[in-house]
Amino acid sequence: MSEQIGSAPAEVSSAVERRLADLGLSLPEVAAPVAAYVPAVVTGSTVYTSGQLPFVEGQMPATGKVGAEVSAEDAKNYAQVCVVNALAAVKAQIGDLDRVTRIVKVVGFVASDPQFTGQPGVVNGASELLGKIFGEAGTHARSAVGVAVLPLDAPVEVELIADFA
């Protein structure tokens, strides 16, 4: 997993980013939008991310349908990449991930072969990683939706809603 997302920076000041580093992960630059939207929006003390694709260093690591061209296990890993990308968008809006008080909701979209029914297992990649990063504050409401196709033929897309102080 760590080689897909990148290695951890040598020194970080945020406790959340230290937990990411302990997991062998680091925040990337915020992915540039692929259409007419922004990566995240703040209203009040809540930040909403747009759907994040599993870009790694600006590239899509795999394309196609889960259950056909992409395995469920690989897709679960890509859901983790999406979460890290979403957290980068959150940090860009609020400045410090230590300000996150709760991950409220996660929505995961899985580009699925018509016979594939394991969408919840794929999106567990996102949910489990958020639990490791934020502990109890990382538990959230969630939807895991199978779709015919995603932008750029991505196998998975994840968006999240987070409260912050």
Side-chain angles (χ1 to χ4, degrees):
M1 183 64 197
S2 63
E3 63 190 61
Q4 291 179 2
I5 299 177
S7 59
E11 191 173 323
V12 292
S13 58
S14 158
V16 169
E17 289 185 70
R18 280 193 300 278
R19 281 192 291 281
L20 280 165
D22 289 345
L23 295 168
L25 308 173
S26 64
L27 295 177
E29 295 295 319
V30 177
V34 298
Y37 62 91
V38 294
V41 172
V42 171
T43 183
S45 61
T46 303
V47 60
Y48 298 79
T49 72
S50 295
Q52 298 294 312
L53 300 177
F55 286 120
V56 177
E57 297 178 6
Q59 302 295 315
M60 187 77 62
T63 57
K65 307 293 180 278
V66 179
E69 299 88 1
V70 178
S71 73
E73 189 60 35
D74 285 346
K76 183 176 180 180
N77 289 336
Y78 298 143
Q80 293 180 359
V81 175
C82 293
V83 161
V84 173
N85 291 343
L87 292 176
V90 170
K91 181 181 177 185
Q93 290 296 308
I94 67 171
D96 184 349
L97 291 177
D98 287 352
R99 294 181 65 198
V100 172
T101 58
R102 179 80 184 195
I103 302 297
V104 177
K105 184 158 186 185
V106 170
V107 180
F109 301 95
V110 181
S112 302
D113 180 80
Q115 274 62 53
F116 183 73
T117 60
Q119 293 83 5
V122 169
V123 181
N124 277 349
S127 296
E128 292 166 0
L129 182 58
L130 287 165
K132 289 177 185 174
I133 295 168
F134 292 102
E136 183 64 27
T139 58
H140 51 269
R142 185 182 92 177
S143 298
V145 183
V147 297
V149 68
L150 288 168
L152 306 177
D153 202 23
V156 65
E157 178 177 344
V158 174
E159 63 183 52
L160 61 83
I161 301 169
D163 283 342
F164 67 95

